[in-house]
Each structure stands twice: as structure tokens, then as C-alpha cells.
């Protein structure tokens, strides 16, 4: 079974700060996903990564396959970024981290 | 717009009653999944289906049942055998192969 560890569990930032959320996993995977869950509960997929780096707007995701580690970065954070960010690893089935709860204060 | 619809958003039941949660998708996805989310835990897989009329147990299938009679629909029944049914339930789907998951907005079930 793949263990997925996220850090930190909770994060509070001032608007405009650069934010990093980390994810480590224990065995080989076909892809890693970053998800965003808003207070209402719905989840949206932000990135799917199997190598390197991807960027959408102010969000950047990186993965190091050798070190089994991924990071999600948010540049110039904004209160609307407040959500739970979940790392999920895919090796046919998905295993999910427990999430990082981010609060961005104006 | 394509997507996944879960209903209802909130559901209240008395202990001992079976309850069915609806999940419908119009994304033409083959694979569908049911996950349970509890505070402080990652999503856990209850059941999944990769094709109509076929489904497989996930990590926590005890006390749950599903059917997949149509590609678009994957209802989940929480039976009275489920010891701790109060939770947030999420349905998801994806194309086969390496592709992102699409989620519904979830159903919050409370059993008293």
C-alpha cells in the first residue's frame, strides 16, 4: 500500500505570500495529482504530474520521481486560495493524503 | 456542461435504515468511484466500477453495496450493517488510463 504524507497539515498566510505544500509517497506511481477542496466539499483537479513541473496561473506543481516527492506552490496568494489541498497518488487506484488546510488572510 | 451530479447534498437517516446515494455523470467516463471522507483522514475507496455491470470492492466496502446498470449511473447504498455510516461521501469518475479524477459535490450523510 502506498503511504502519502502531506505537510504542513494547516497553514495560515498573509495575502501576497508565497506558499509551498509538500507531498511524499512511498512506492512507485504512474502519476501524482493535486486537488483542491473548497468549504462546500466539492473537489477539483488542479494538476496531474508524472515528471517535471506544471504551471497554471499562480499555481506551480513539481515532482521528483527519484525522491518520491512533490510540491505545490502558490505565488502571490489571495484569500480566494483558501481551501484544502490534497495530494493523491495514482498507480491504477488512488491513495490520498490527509490534506493541507490553507487560510489566506487579507 | 459535463459533470457529475450527486444527490442529495444532505441526508439524514435513523439507525437501522438503508439509504441510497445517487451519482450520475454525463462525461461518458467508463470508470466510476465512491469515496468516503472523514475528518483527519484521506479519502478512502468504498467501491469502484470500470465497466457497466461490473464493480469491485475497495478498501472499506463492508456495509455498502453498489450497482452499475448504466454507464452514467453508480448509486451507493449504505446498509444498516455499516457500523459508522455518518460521513461525507464523494463520487468520482475518469476516462480509463492515466487521466484526472472528476468529482461530484458530495453527499453529507448523518445517521442518528
Amino acid at each position: 500500500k502506498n503511504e502519502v504524507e502531506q505537510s504542513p497539515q494547516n497553514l495560515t498566510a498573509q495575502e501576497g505570500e508565497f506558499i509551498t505544500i509538500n507531498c511524499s509517497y512511498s512506492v512507485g506511481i504512474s502519476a501524482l495529482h493535486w486537488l483542491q477542496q473548497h468549504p462546500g466539499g466539492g473537489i477539483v483537479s488542479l494538476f496531474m504530474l508524472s515528471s517535471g513541473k506544471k504551471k497554471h496561473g499562480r499555481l506551480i506543481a513539481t515532482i521528483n520521481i527519484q525522491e518520491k516527492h512533490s510540491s505545490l506552490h502558490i505565488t502571490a496568494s489571495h484569500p480566494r486560495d483558501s481551501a484544502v489541498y490534497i495530494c493523491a497518488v495514482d498507480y491504477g487506484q488512488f491513495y490520498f493524503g490527509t490534506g493541507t488546510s490553507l487560510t489566506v488572510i487579507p | 456542461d459535463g459533470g457529475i451530479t450527486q444527490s442529495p447534498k444532505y441526508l439524514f437517516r435513523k439507525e437501522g435504515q438503508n439509504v441510497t446515494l445517487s451519482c450520475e455523470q454525463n462525461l461518458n467516463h467508463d470508470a466510476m468511484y465512491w469515496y468516503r471522507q472523514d475528518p483527519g483522514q484521506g479519502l478512502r475507496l468504498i467501491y469502484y466500477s470500470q465497466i457497466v455491470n461490473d464493480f469491485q470492492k475497495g478498501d472499506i466496502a463492508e456495509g455498502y453495496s453498489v450497482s452499475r446498470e448504466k454507464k452514467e449511473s453508480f448509486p451507493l447504498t449504505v446498509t444498516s450493517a455499516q457500523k459508522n455510516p455518518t460521513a461525507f461521501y464523494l463520487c468520482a469518475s475518469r476516462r480509463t488510463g492515466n487521466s484526472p479524477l472528476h468529482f461530484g459535490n458530495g453527499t453529507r450523510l448523518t445517521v442518528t
Side-chain angles (χ1 to χ4, degrees):
Chain A
K1 181 180 173 179
N2 208 339
E3 299 292 333
V4 182
E5 301 277 345
Q6 274 186 250
S7 63
Q9 275 193 301
N10 297 285
L11 184 53
T12 301
Q14 289 292 134
E15 184 173 355
E17 283 186 12
F18 181 85
I19 288 162
T20 296
I21 300 170
N22 295 299
C23 177
S24 297
Y25 53 93
S26 56
V27 300
I29 59 173
S30 61
L32 183 141
H33 299 248
W34 282 102
L35 311 171
Q36 181 190 56
Q37 185 172 32
H38 278 281
I43 294 176
V44 295
S45 178
L46 298 175
F47 294 103
M48 183 177 76
L49 291 162
S50 52
S51 65
K53 176 179 171 177
K54 286 190 176 180
K55 185 175 189 286
H56 287 153
R58 295 178 295 106
L59 272 60
I60 302 166
T62 64
I63 188 168
N64 185 319
I65 297 294
Q66 287 73 33
E67 294 187 4
K68 296 184 176 59
H69 181 269
S70 176
S71 294
L72 176 68
H73 306 285
I74 305 175
T75 62
S77 59
H78 189 277
R80 65 175 174 267
D81 297 325
S82 299
V84 175
Y85 293 84
I86 300 170
C87 169
V89 296
D90 179 6
Y91 58 107
Q93 294 302 333
F94 283 82
Y95 280 97
F96 298 83
T98 54
T100 294
S101 179
L102 171 65
T103 302
V104 181
I105 299 169
Chain B
D1 279 345
I4 299 179
T5 302
Q6 287 188 245
S7 60
K9 189 172 176 67
Y10 298 97
L11 194 50
F12 298 89
R13 280 294 183 270
K14 295 288 188 188
E15 200 173 307
Q17 292 180 333
N18 291 356
V19 59
T20 298
L21 282 59
S22 168
C23 177
E24 304 278 332
Q25 54 101 357
N26 60 3
L27 299 165
N28 199 33
H29 287 172
D30 290 304
M32 296 187 74
Y33 305 83
W34 273 105
Y35 293 100
R36 171 181 171 138
Q37 188 176 39
D38 294 284
Q41 297 193 46
L43 276 70
R44 292 181 291 166
L45 180 64
I46 304 172
Y47 268 98
Y48 66 100
S49 167
Q50 295 187 319
I51 195 168
V52 173
N53 292 323
D54 187 49
F55 47 82
Q56 308 295 329
K57 292 182 179 180
D59 298 321
I60 55 165
E62 186 174 346
Y64 299 98
S65 66
V66 293
S67 63
R68 186 88 186 274
E69 296 176 3
K70 299 186 298 182
K71 187 175 186 178
E72 305 78 28
S73 179
F74 191 41
L76 174 74
T77 297
V78 185
T79 75
S80 55
Q82 167 50 234
K83 299 274 188 290
N84 187 19
T86 294
F88 187 58
Y89 292 88
L90 283 153
C91 178
S93 71
R94 70 167 173 173
R95 296 195 314 267
T96 52
N98 221 9
S99 60
L101 277 174
H102 295 253
F103 286 87
N105 286 327
T107 293
R108 191 166 299 280
L109 173 65
T110 303
V111 176
T112 56

